[in-house]
Each structure stands twice: as C-alpha cells, then as structure tokens.
Amino acid sequence: MISNQILQNTIDGLKGIARVDFCIMDTDGKETASTAPGMSERSAEAAGFADSPADSQEIRGFQYFKIYDEQQLEYILIAAGTGEDVYMAGKMAAFQIQNLLVAYKERFDKDNFIKNLLLDNLLLIDIYSRAKKLHIQTDVKRVVMIVETADNKDNNALETMRIYFGSGSRDFITAVDENNVIVVKDLSDGDNPSDIERAALGMETYLSKEGMAGVHIAYGTVVKEIKEVSRSYKEAKMAMDVGKIFFDDRNIMAYSELGIGRLIYQLPIPLCKMFIKEIFGGKSPDDFDEETLVTISKFFENSLNVSETSRQLFIHRNTLVYRLDKLQKNTGLDLRVFEDAITFRIALMVVKYMNYMESLEY
C-alpha cells in the first residue's frame, strides 16, 4: 500500500530522532527501505524470523519486529543494535509504520485502485505492485461493461448492481461519476462473445425488474492483462456513445459491433461540416420532409431494391422512382447507384453524429 519512498522518508526521520539505523524488508526478505548500507545482508535472518511465531526477536546483534496489515504479515523491521533503548526505538518505529499502513489502506483499497486503473491514473509499476498487495490477479481475462439507467441518481444503481453480483464475486463494480456504473468482469470461466452478451442481458433484466428505466449497457473488447483494463473501459465508453447515436433501438452495445459508426465518431466536427456542405450544398437531410426520409430509410433497408421498397411503402413503383428522381435533382445523388447510395448513407450518419454532439453542448 505504501510506496517505498514514503517508507524510506519515515525511517530516515526516525533515525534522525532515535539515532538508530533501520531497515524494512518484505516477507521474502527483500529490502524495501534502509538507512544504512549492508542491511540487506540480514535477508536470510529476516525470512527466518517471518516464519517464527515471535513478534519481536534479537538475532546476532539486531532487533527484529513484525508489522501486520489486518493480521497479515506485511513487513519485517530491523533495528541495528541491542539494549533497551534500541528495542524501544524499534517498537516505536514498528508502531509508526503500522499506523501508516492503516492510514494508506483506505486510499489504496480495491475500489480506489480499480477507479484509478480505469482512468489511466497509475504508472505501470504501480499497477502491478498494488495489484499484488490487494491480491488481484493480473493475468485474468476481463472486459469492462458500462451500465447506464435513466434514473441512476435516484435509484442508486451502483448498490443495486453490487447486490446483483454478490460479495463473493470476482468481478469489480464501481463508478467514476454519478451517471454510470462500471463492471470489470472476470472472464476466467469463459470469454465467448455470447457469454458476455448473456451477462449483459442478465444485468439489464435484473435492473428492469428492480424498477429502473432506460437501461443501456455497453462493453469493450476482452483484455488479458490488468494494465489493458483502461483500454476496454475507453472502448465501452465509445460503444455507449456510438450506440446512442446510430443504434438507438438497441439497449446492449458491443464495441466490436460499431462498424463505420466508430470511424465517424472520431471525426472532428469542422471536417464533418465541410463534408456535409460538399454533399448537400447549403441544405441538410434534416430539412427533408417526412415522406422523403421514410422513403430513403426503407430503400436502404431493402438493399436498394425498388420493387420491394415500393411494395412495403404501399406505393406504385413509378411513384418511388419519381421520389428518387426528385431527390437526385435536389442533391445530385442517385440512390439507385451504389456509390451515390453509400455517400448518402454516410452523410446521414455524419449529420446524426453532428446533431448528437451539438446536443451535448446544451
């Protein structure tokens, strides 16, 4: 929990007060911090002392003390010298470090660790050292899932999700803001896309039964190392936003299913405006009447098939042809030509993206 630098500063200060050299070692006898050279030579003795039932012991002219973290041995403190004064100085040093462990525990508990991991706030060396101290496996397959409800603030979706997974779960449930619940799901028992989809569906069903409306779930790709969890989180965030823009009829969205929407989402707004101006001049698809928009949508749904589209719209084939000709005259794009149809389809998606981004500003 405590960085080596903090431990070093602590025993340096204690040495200045007590005039006794100290060394802190982990339970394997590896030196963590020391005020004098050569103290690492005590590693074998420290490792042996760690296995003994005694909490303090004098060995070959040095005083050894055990420091616990919630009844689990965390460090071995060595005070150089013998006698009552050195023993007392060692006991006081051990007490000080014990209190440091308690003080830093809340700061570096699992929930806090996961939050900082998701937000990319940790150095690589800190990720693995803290994961080890928190007994979190670093090489398990995981995926990050974001859960959003229409009334997160009122119904406490975070606590509801923690109840759903239970205290014995290997998954981590947390939140980095008041709008979303984040689930870092352990996939050691199976990482098939169908397993993840099924897990998301189970979460949606449970939240709906608990009376929560507007449940949306998005998830990133599977990662194999704990250091990659933040990437899966970023992917899940993108999947949530892109899903709202281009797949508003879906409640569960996977990053791997975003298609061209993923590319459009990453375009700068000025470039989008330039593209729309090139395609439609001074107009916008938002200016088209409802009849034209329905016609275009149905035409795309039927893979540019004129006969099938006219049948589903309950209009004569010639009426559909007339509408498409009128659209071509206004935009210069003939939707019966594949290349023009692709251009028009992308333009509609770009406009949808622009409208969504503008709505976030208000």
Side-chain angles (χ1 to χ4, degrees):
M1 298 297 178
I2 307 175
S3 71
N4 292 355
Q5 186 59 52
I6 292 174
L7 290 173
Q8 185 66 55
N9 292 342
T10 301
I11 60 175
D12 283 341
L14 290 168
K15 177 185 177 180
I17 297 170
R19 298 182 182 179
V20 174
D21 279 312
F22 298 97
C23 178
I24 300 174
M25 293 187 176
D26 62 19
T27 54
D28 297 324
K30 183 179 179 181
E31 184 180 296
T32 300
S34 178
T35 62
M39 296 286 274
S40 59
E41 297 174 2
R42 312 287 97 187
S43 60
E45 294 167 357
F49 172 65
D51 295 329
S52 74
D55 287 335
S56 63
Q57 188 176 352
E58 181 182 325
I59 306 174
R60 297 175 59 186
F62 290 84
Q63 304 280 356
Y64 289 74
F65 304 87
K66 289 180 180 177
I67 300 172
Y68 295 89
D69 182 13
E70 290 189 348
Q71 299 182 341
Q72 180 175 340
L73 183 61
E74 188 73 20
Y75 297 112
I76 301 297
L77 174 70
I78 305 173
T82 59
E84 186 68 23
D85 290 343
V86 175
Y87 176 81
M88 289 298 296
K91 287 289 286 183
M92 291 175 65
F95 180 77
Q96 176 69 14
I97 296 168
Q98 185 86 54
N99 285 340
L100 278 176
L101 282 173
V102 175
Y104 275 79
K105 188 166 187 61
E106 184 177 353
R107 181 177 173 186
F108 296 122
D109 64 2
K110 288 185 179 180
D111 189 63
N112 205 302
F113 170 72
I114 294 298
K115 286 180 182 178
N116 284 302
L117 181 67
L118 292 167
L119 296 173
D120 247 345
N121 289 339
L122 299 171
L123 296 175
L124 186 60
I125 188 171
D126 288 333
I127 291 174
Y128 286 94
S129 63
R130 293 183 189 175
K132 180 181 178 181
K133 289 184 179 298
L134 292 168
H135 308 292
I136 298 174
Q137 288 183 274
T138 58
D139 56 354
V140 172
K141 290 182 180 179
R142 294 181 172 94
V143 66
V144 176
M145 312 176 82
I146 296 179
V147 182
E148 181 180 288
T149 67
D151 44 12
N152 260 5
K153 299 175 185 177
D154 298 330
N155 286 318
N156 204 344
L158 177 60
E159 290 306 316
T160 305
M161 289 305 300
R162 283 176 173 165
I163 293 171
Y164 173 70
F165 281 94
S167 58
S169 172
R170 292 174 298 185
D171 307 313
F172 300 104
I173 298 88
T174 187
V176 296
D177 56 45
E178 60 183 6
N179 298 319
N180 307 114
V181 175
I182 301 166
V183 178
V184 183
K185 183 155 187 61
D186 185 305
L187 297 175
S188 54
D189 294 334
D191 61 346
N192 292 326
S194 57
D195 295 330
I196 304 173
E197 181 81 14
R198 190 159 46 248
L201 185 60
M203 290 157 57
E204 181 197 14
T205 303
Y206 178 77
L207 289 171
S208 298
K209 286 182 179 178
E210 291 296 311
M212 296 192 181
V215 179
H216 286 86
I217 300 173
Y219 55 90
T221 54
V222 177
V223 296
K224 299 179 181 179
E225 284 282 339
I226 195 168
K227 65 181 180 181
E228 298 175 324
V229 165
S230 62
R231 173 169 61 81
S232 186
Y233 171 60
K234 292 171 186 174
E235 292 171 349
K237 284 182 66 179
M238 181 182 289
M240 181 66 77
D241 285 342
V242 175
K244 290 178 183 177
I245 302 170
F246 304 118
F247 305 92
D248 51 3
D249 58 330
R250 297 178 59 174
N251 295 331
I252 299 174
M253 198 70 231
Y255 177 80
S256 59
E257 299 174 351
L258 299 181
I260 195 173
R262 183 191 302 122
L263 299 178
I264 294 174
Y265 181 76
Q266 298 179 76
L267 293 174
I269 294 298
L271 187 61
C272 294
K273 291 181 178 179
M274 187 184 302
F275 174 70
I276 295 302
K277 187 175 181 181
E278 288 176 0
I279 301 299
F280 298 111
K283 298 181 180 180
S284 167
D286 293 336
D287 299 330
F288 296 154
D289 58 66
E290 186 65 25
E291 181 183 81
T292 301
L293 291 173
V294 171
T295 301
I296 293 169
S297 176
K298 191 63 68 174
F299 193 54
F300 283 136
E301 283 180 19
N302 290 288
S303 303
L304 314 184
N305 187 308
V306 174
S307 299
E308 183 61 23
T309 302
S310 58
R311 186 185 71 80
Q312 291 189 19
L313 289 174
F314 303 104
I315 60 175
H316 194 275
R317 176 189 174 94
N318 290 342
T319 303
L320 177 59
V321 170
Y322 169 77
R323 291 181 184 177
L324 294 175
D325 287 342
K326 182 180 177 182
L327 186 64
Q328 181 183 5
K329 183 178 179 180
N330 291 333
T331 64
L333 297 172
D334 185 355
L335 298 194
R336 291 159 292 192
V337 177
F338 180 75
E339 186 176 342
D340 285 357
I342 289 294
T343 301
F344 198 94
R345 178 65 171 168
I346 292 174
L348 289 177
M349 294 180 72
V350 168
V351 169
K352 224 175 180 186
Y353 163 64
M354 289 168 58
N355 291 339
Y356 175 80
M357 295 306 291
E358 288 176 4
S359 70
L360 296 180
E361 297 176 1
Y362 299 101

